[in-house]
Amino acid sequence: MFDWKWDFTFEILPRLGWATLNTLIAAGGGYAIAIVLGLALALAQRSPYRALTLVVREAVEFIRSTPLVLQIFFVFYVGPQFGIRLSPWTSGMIAIGLHYSAYLSEVYRGGIESVPKGQWEACRSLSMSTSDTYFRIIIPQALPPALAGMGNYLVGIFKDTPMLSVIGVAELMHAANAIGSEHYRFLEPYTLVGIIFLAISLPSAGLIRTFEAWVRKRLGMS
Amino acid sequence: MTYWEFLSENGGRFFDGTLTTAAQFFLSAIFAILFALIAGLMKLSDNVFVRSPAVVYIEIFRGTSLLVQLYWIFFVLPLFGITLEKFTAGFIAVSMNLGAYGAELVRGGIQSVPKGQWEAAYSLSMSPAKRMWRIILPQALVNMLPPWGNLLIELLKATALVSLISVADLMFEAKQINGSTFLSAQAFGTALIIYYIFARLIVTPFMRWMERVMARKMGRV
């Protein structure tokens, strides 16, 4: 019943290691898109143009309540229908980045709303421009309260990368599937993938908390 | 082919898929609540032998991906003599994953009940079980309903992954329709809209209604 093969384990470990690197790159790439796009979505929801605010709000709601795996398929297959060919990597990054930008925009929104009203009024009375107000005064203060949420979604994006295997991105799950069907053994590859995920996501949750405390200390907030 | 022709031709398959997704959603929601309640209560125990299995369960299922867990349950568990049908494997994996997240909500909800409530129940010499069921849990439930609303949306989205072990849910039908008609925007777009309607017009209003009902029952209007 329990026939774990150690020689097979060591044989496939290097291959899984390389795939882990791809997983980390995918997570990092998706996160980079999400961080920038999320800020744009958060700021758009605070714009004075009511129509823009409503459309963005609904779009964020839409992205947040539909499955990521379906969005990945959508981005990958819909492009070619209109003559735009995207590689699995590109469409995967776009889909996962877009999905998480919706979540991050909510985190930023919460952070921005936590900045005291007096800060806005002070900027106004100094007649600062809107962009100066945001980038020099509001966002630096909104960041520390948002850090915890941002960190959670970094781990979240990492754990969602296996979904990219469905369009053929060569990350960890994809490698495990390939190994499984080549050798007709699924016990070791799938178990190892689980262990690798645990080994990365558990310590990073702790690291993120430490980083958050460090930033707060550097900024003199508590 | 116009979109209406597309819909009238494939509407039946979308409908069948939606029914399977709804079944997966309700079954995984029920089991997720059950797992969350058991693990959340176990994690609050003072006894280390009761607490540690819950901690291990929560950390493993929150620390790895649902897709990994789904494949593990479907492809690896049979090697240990536990063979689950794909439909069952699907909602068991989804409910165990979301149940681990829910367990933390249960724990937080129970801990948010003021200490005086525990002491009052104790001083009335209620049994621990009665105290939990009649005093603590109802109040904890009111506190944790809003985050559970979010979790149920996550659960609905998570059910889309069962299509990867070929459960014929909405996602699976969308893929099949895409494969036979090559109309990707229509096939996946329709599925996206159905998921959105499900989340926005069924799950969210139901949770809002639950919140109102519970608030009224607890006299917190």
Side-chain angles (χ1 to χ4, degrees), chain A residues 1-3 58 61-71 73-74 77-78 81-82 99 103 155 158-166 173 177 186-188 190-191 193-195 197-198 201-202, chain B residues 59-68 71-72 75-76 79-81 101 150 153-154 156-158 160-161 163-164 171 174-175 178 182-189 191-193 195-196 199-200:
Chain A
M1 181 184 96
F2 196 88
D3 60 340
E58 203 58 32
E61 210 50 58
F62 186 88
I63 295 171
R64 271 160 43 102
S65 38
T66 50
L68 172 58
V69 67
L70 187 52
Q71 293 168 3
F73 273 110
F74 188 88
Y77 284 103
V78 169
Q81 205 181 345
F82 301 98
H99 190 76
Y103 282 96
V155 180
F158 166 67
K159 284 187 294 193
D160 273 351
T161 51
M163 290 188 207
L164 295 174
S165 66
V166 297
M173 201 69 221
N177 282 334
F186 290 96
L187 170 64
E188 293 87 354
Y190 285 157
T191 309
V193 168
I195 293 171
F197 268 99
L198 269 184
S201 66
L202 287 186
Chain B
E59 294 299 330
I60 286 183
F61 277 85
R62 279 167 33 123
T64 59
S65 310
L66 172 57
L67 192 54
V68 180
Y71 280 2
W72 208 90
F75 292 111
V76 178
L79 303 175
F80 295 87
Y101 287 92
N150 287 333
I153 301 284
E154 293 297 321
L156 171 67
K157 288 158 54 184
L161 285 178
S163 67
L164 299 176
M171 170 82 212
K175 255 192 317 191
N178 176 53
F182 298 107
L183 294 169
S184 308
Q186 287 88 332
F188 292 127
L192 279 172
I193 290 168
Y195 274 110
Y196 185 56
R200 204 67 202 281

Side-chain angles (χ1 to χ4, degrees), chain B residues 82-124:
Chain B
I82 306 166
T83 307
L84 295 175
E85 231 242 303
K86 58 190 179 187
F87 187 85
T88 318
F91 75 76
I92 290 290
V94 172
S95 59
M96 288 197 79
N97 179 267
L98 274 299
Y101 287 92
E104 291 290 316
L105 298 184
V106 170
R107 188 185 57 85
I110 289 175
Q111 281 176 339
S112 73
V113 175
K115 233 181 142 75
Q117 299 286 327
W118 293 82
E119 287 158 2
Y122 188 75
S123 66
L124 289 169

Side-chain angles (χ1 to χ4, degrees), chain A residues 47-117:
Chain A
S47 87
Y49 306 105
R50 189 111 185 87
L52 178 68
T53 311
L54 280 177
V55 168
V56 173
R57 172 88 245 126
E58 203 58 32
V60 165
E61 210 50 58
F62 186 88
I63 295 171
R64 271 160 43 102
S65 38
T66 50
L68 172 58
V69 67
L70 187 52
Q71 293 168 3
I72 292 173
F73 273 110
F74 188 88
V75 173
F76 186 58
Y77 284 103
V78 169
Q81 205 181 345
F82 301 98
I84 309 161
R85 295 199 74 86
L86 296 173
S87 72
W89 268 96
T90 318
S91 34
M93 296 295 86
I94 293 175
I96 215 166
L98 191 66
H99 190 76
Y100 274 88
S101 71
Y103 282 96
L104 281 181
S105 78
E106 295 289 294
V107 172
Y108 291 138
R109 220 162 55 102
I112 291 173
E113 275 163 17
S114 75
V115 176
K117 226 173 151 184

